[in-house]
Amino acid sequence: MIGLIEKHRKKVMIGIFVIVIPPFAFFGIDSYFQGSSSGGIVGTVGDYRISQVEFAQALSERQDMLRNMSGGRLDPSLLDSQELRLSVMENLVQQQLLVQRAVRTGLAVSDQQIQDIVANVDAFKEDGKFSYARYEELLRAQGLTPIGFEQRVRQDILVDHVTHPYTGSAFVSRSEAAFLLRISEQQREVSHFIYSADRFLPQVKLEPDAAKKYYDSHQDEFRVPEQVRLEFVTLSAEALVGQVQLAAADVRRAYDENAKRFEVRESRQASHILITPEGDGAEAKKKAKAKADELHAQLKKNPASFAALAKQHSQDPGSAANGGDLGFFERGAMVKAFDDAVFSMKAGEISAPVESEFGYHIIRLAVVRGGKGKSFEEARPEIEAELKKQLAARKFAELAETFSNTLFEQSDSLKPAAELIKAQPQTSGWIARAGADNAMLGNQRLLQAVFSEDVLKNGRNTEAIEVAPGVLVGARVAEHKPTSVQPFDQISGALVKKLTLQQASQLAAQEGRARLETLRQGKDAQVAWTAPQLVGRNDPKGLSGEVMRQAFRTDTAKLPSYSGTEIPGGGYALVRVSKLQEVEEGAKDKQNAIAQTLRQVAAQAELAAYLDSLKKKTEIKLRQEAIERK
């Protein structure tokens, strides 16, 4: 238990927003959906009720995580897809199964243990001491309360206690890792020859009516799906930002009320050379100190040699290769002795050896930044942008219902809804039921509405549909094309080319297989092989995917070995493997990395099986209509 607490103290210290239980494998949730239940409850896991608020918060956190991981480039429609919602719900269900299991085993985490973890998070400290005001401020910025945050830390510890036997003890034999290493690192000397379909085009003689016969018997290939062109209008919080006007007094008030927020905490960039004692005892420490003193003396004579000496002598593997550079860090991020030294130095100064529990550090302070607050003028652009965003979001919420009602009540035109939000209706290109290139117009709920009888045949507006968070679209059909078949005259030329290429590809494959049989009989097939190349699965050296796959599928019991494969676009590839090069003996690092990957895969499989068994023993009910997008 002590080990678990210590692990989570370190985990929280990395960053308070790490404490979100990671998504587990997604499986089998469909069987738990039930009919309607009480409005605020999304589902139950045993006696535990998952509230709509809890689900919404978990969904929001997952969306934020995906946005951050993608740098904001993720398709907005993916951030609120049905698949994502089900995955979030599955994670909540699994979390509760594991928490309940931990409670049944008698595990408990005391309030004092939680307080101990929180009090040691550097992000919550000011001047080296825990600050409850800062703690509340950081949590509030993430929509959390101290009680809620501490409960999540508690649950995280409980879940880890139950999952650790699976994630921390999966076994993979050395022979398995060695076998996978041999497969992944093996190299083969490969040469090849391509029988291109183009070479056989002159030999193809189509029947005069071949294209027409094919057209008549394959009508579905030439069917053009039903399509529409849309007139649509968009209400978005982002677009409303441009309509917001701010009063100067409001901007000033926001700065005065949040002045502390614009303080820039001091951070420093430093490098160090670490010399650690080789063994225990006073003599080992004495030798390490002597070496540190010697290096310090050299640096006094030639400060510019710091990076070179760090690369040569520092025993900190994380920074030595970078000349000892530790990057920027705030007060409290390092051990106390190191921290005190760095924050007492001036930029450009090199310290005498500083002793810590890790050894002796020679420190060079490079840059000092921050340590003062932004002035009103410096903070003004940020405040204005935030206030406009807040007011736009408020205006969006106020307009959304009226916008929706206008689309419905005046359903024969988009003009009233457009005038309401001060926007101009836009026109789309042709869109099919299957989707559109434009992610917004390709939203499945919008497409479903557009192709409904009420909109398509009766000429009404769609309802206001949320195609992305904070984006509503209302649309109507401007033009409609029913399903049709392309006329033969329009596609006859392309069809003749297609059939000719198909027959040329068949001829190329016949020739390739005949040459392959000759080679396997040990005879000269007069093939102009490419120059042999030693390639690996992760090092194709320009070979196509088909040739690479065939090369590593080829039986190498006897060399040289020959094989062949048809290639996309028409043609046939002959492949010759003339030599094997196995992985070097003693590639322990690679083998250990592969073993670690296999252990992780095995652990996830064991954990998934365990969760499945917990599901079978627990009554789970979920409300599908509460999880689906509204």
Side-chain angles (χ1 to χ4, degrees):
M1 184 64 192
I2 292 173
L4 278 170
I5 297 297
E6 180 60 27
K7 170 186 174 184
H8 280 274
R9 180 183 294 118
K10 293 176 180 177
K11 181 177 179 182
V12 182
M13 289 177 73
I14 292 171
I16 67 168
F17 311 121
V18 174
I19 304 182
V20 178
I21 296 175
F24 297 111
F26 173 53
F27 60 90
I29 197 168
D30 289 342
S31 60
Y32 297 100
F33 281 126
Q34 306 289 327
S36 60
S37 180
S38 56
I41 302 301
V42 178
T44 57
V45 181
D47 294 332
Y48 183 82
R49 296 182 175 188
I50 301 174
S51 70
Q52 186 75 52
V53 172
E54 183 179 0
F55 172 69
Q57 185 172 1
L59 177 63
S60 176
E61 287 171 352
R62 183 78 69 84
Q63 290 168 338
D64 287 343
M65 181 184 73
L66 292 172
R67 284 191 197 95
N68 292 334
M69 289 173 61
S70 67
R73 295 186 295 273
L74 197 65
D75 182 346
S77 65
L78 298 178
L79 290 174
D80 207 15
S81 64
Q82 185 71 353
E83 290 77 9
L84 181 65
R85 286 173 162 263
L86 290 174
S87 176
V88 169
M89 175 52 67
E90 173 71 359
N91 192 43
L92 290 173
V93 169
Q94 293 178 355
Q95 175 183 334
Q96 276 308 312
L97 288 170
L98 294 167
V99 169
Q100 290 174 23
R101 177 60 182 167
V103 172
R104 284 198 298 273
T105 63
L107 181 68
V109 183
S110 71
D111 291 342
Q112 183 58 50
Q113 289 167 330
I114 297 297
Q115 290 169 14
D116 182 47
I117 291 174
V118 170
N120 282 281
V121 178
D122 288 330
F124 300 149
K125 293 180 179 179
E126 287 186 347
D127 299 326
K129 296 181 179 179
F130 175 74
S131 166
Y132 193 81
R134 181 167 178 78
Y135 176 47
E136 281 192 312
E137 179 187 349
L138 286 176
L139 293 184
R140 194 183 307 115
Q142 294 296 312
L144 297 171
T145 64
I147 293 175
F149 175 71
E150 289 161 18
Q151 180 61 20
R152 291 169 65 171
V153 176
R154 192 188 309 275
Q155 288 196 357
D156 197 29
I157 297 172
L158 293 174
V159 167
D160 259 14
H161 177 78
V162 178
T163 60
H164 183 73
Y166 300 92
T167 59
S169 61
F171 174 76
V172 174
S173 70
R174 290 183 181 178
S175 59
E176 287 177 296
F179 176 71
L180 188 56
L181 175 65
R182 185 175 70 81
I183 290 175
S184 64
E185 297 297 317
Q186 184 190 75
Q187 292 185 304
R188 298 188 172 197
E189 187 179 70
V190 176
S191 44
H192 68 285
F193 180 77
I194 305 293
Y195 287 96
S196 170
D198 293 345
R199 287 178 52 189
F200 297 88
L201 287 174
Q203 300 178 30
V204 176
K205 303 296 180 185
L206 290 178
E207 295 293 330
D209 60 348
K212 187 66 168 67
K213 285 182 177 178
Y214 186 93
Y215 174 81
D216 291 339
S217 59
H218 296 80
Q219 290 278 289
D220 284 346
E221 282 188 29
F222 310 104
R223 197 173 300 281
V224 179
E226 181 181 22
Q227 294 177 300
V228 293
R229 284 177 61 246
L230 299 179
E231 184 184 13
F232 65 97
V233 63
T234 306
L235 169 62
S236 71
E238 185 178 352
L240 292 174
V241 168
Q243 300 178 19
V244 173
Q245 299 295 321
L246 295 176
D250 291 338
V251 180
R252 183 73 210 194
R253 188 183 308 110
Y255 175 79
D256 292 339
E257 291 176 354
N258 298 275
K260 196 168 184 178
R261 209 184 104 198
F262 300 105
E263 290 179 358
V264 180
R265 288 170 65 87
E266 181 180 331
S267 63
R268 299 191 168 207
Q269 182 185 16
S271 304
H272 78 145
I273 299 171
L274 173 64
I275 305 300
T276 59
E278 296 180 2
D280 298 325
E283 188 61 31
K285 288 182 66 175
K286 184 177 179 181
K287 287 182 179 180
K289 176 68 162 58
K291 183 175 181 180
D293 286 336
E294 180 186 344
L295 291 171
H296 183 244
Q298 293 181 43
L299 288 167
K300 277 186 173 181
K301 296 176 182 178
N302 183 13
S305 65
F306 192 98
L309 290 176
K311 289 179 181 180
Q312 183 179 355
H313 297 286
S314 181
Q315 292 168 280
D316 175 9
S319 67
N322 297 322
D325 185 19
L326 296 167
F328 281 95
F329 51 89
E330 294 181 5
R331 183 181 285 276
M334 302 296 181
V335 293
K336 188 176 188 308
F338 189 100
D339 206 56
D340 289 345
V342 170
F343 281 86
S344 66
M345 295 169 63
K346 296 178 181 178
E349 188 177 350
I350 296 176
S351 75
V354 175
E355 184 180 0
S356 79
E357 60 249 54
F358 300 107
Y360 294 92
H361 309 260
I362 304 169
I363 306 167
R364 179 177 66 180
L365 179 60
V367 180
V368 178
R369 70 181 183 190
K372 64 182 183 67
K374 290 183 182 179
S375 68
F376 172 67
E377 290 303 323
E378 289 172 329
R380 185 171 188 158
E382 180 183 345
I383 297 172
E384 288 180 343
E386 187 172 325
L387 287 178
K388 285 184 177 182
K389 188 175 180 181
Q390 291 174 359
L391 292 172
R394 192 179 304 164
K395 188 173 182 181
F396 175 83
E398 292 169 355
L399 282 173
E401 185 175 357
T402 309
F403 178 69
S404 179
N405 291 340
T406 304
L407 287 169
F408 176 75
E409 293 166 0
Q410 303 185 56
S411 61
D412 58 346
S413 172
L414 288 179
K415 188 176 179 182
E419 290 175 346
L420 171 72
I421 62 173
K422 300 177 183 177
Q424 288 295 321
Q426 298 172 270
T427 304
S428 74
W430 288 105
I431 298 172
R433 286 179 185 267
D437 293 336
N438 182 308
M440 182 178 73
L441 298 181
N443 178 275
Q444 287 302 307
R445 288 187 65 237
L446 179 62
L447 290 173
Q448 185 178 358
V450 163
F451 284 95
S452 69
E453 182 174 354
D454 203 36
V455 176
L456 188 63
K457 295 184 178 179
N458 298 335
R460 302 184 190 280
N461 297 334
T462 66
E463 62 180 326
I465 294 173
E466 188 178 12
V467 297
V471 182
L472 293 176
V473 170
R476 62 185 297 103
V477 174
E479 199 172 346
H480 174 234
K481 283 184 184 177
T483 302
S484 62
V485 176
Q486 292 175 280
F488 176 71
D489 292 344
Q490 288 184 8
I491 50 89
S492 60
L495 187 52
V496 167
K497 288 181 181 179
K498 173 184 174 178
L499 296 178
T500 302
L501 183 61
Q502 283 181 351
Q503 290 197 20
S505 297
Q506 292 171 6
L507 292 174
Q510 289 173 14
E511 180 69 16
R513 291 190 185 98
R515 298 294 179 102
L516 177 60
E517 186 59 32
T518 300
L519 289 166
R520 285 175 170 172
Q521 291 173 6
K523 300 175 183 178
D524 182 9
Q526 298 183 345
V527 175
W529 298 105
T530 60
Q533 291 190 92
L534 198 62
V535 301
R537 284 180 169 85
N538 299 316
D539 184 22
K541 291 188 171 67
L543 294 185
S544 69
E546 283 300 318
V547 170
M548 279 292 294
R549 282 189 285 274
Q550 189 59 37
F552 282 89
R553 281 198 294 255
T554 301
D555 184 0
T556 56
K558 181 181 177 182
L559 297 176
S561 182
Y562 303 95
S563 65
T565 182
E566 293 186 27
I567 56 177
Y572 193 85
L574 284 177
V575 178
R576 177 178 67 183
V577 178
S578 47
K579 186 169 69 175
L580 296 183
Q581 182 170 303
E582 301 292 353
V583 64
E584 295 179 5
E585 290 293 330
K588 292 296 183 185
D589 288 346
K590 289 183 178 180
Q591 185 169 322
N592 290 340
I594 287 174
Q596 178 62 23
T597 301
L598 289 175
R599 279 193 291 270
Q600 290 172 354
V601 171
Q604 286 298 318
E606 290 180 14
L607 180 57
Y610 178 63
L611 282 163
D612 198 23
S613 72
L614 292 179
K615 276 188 167 186
K616 291 175 180 176
K617 299 172 185 175
T618 308
E619 185 178 13
I620 300 171
K621 295 180 180 180
L622 304 175
R623 291 178 56 221
Q624 184 164 8
E625 71 276 13
I627 298 169
E628 288 179 343
R629 289 235 322 101
K630 295 294 184 292

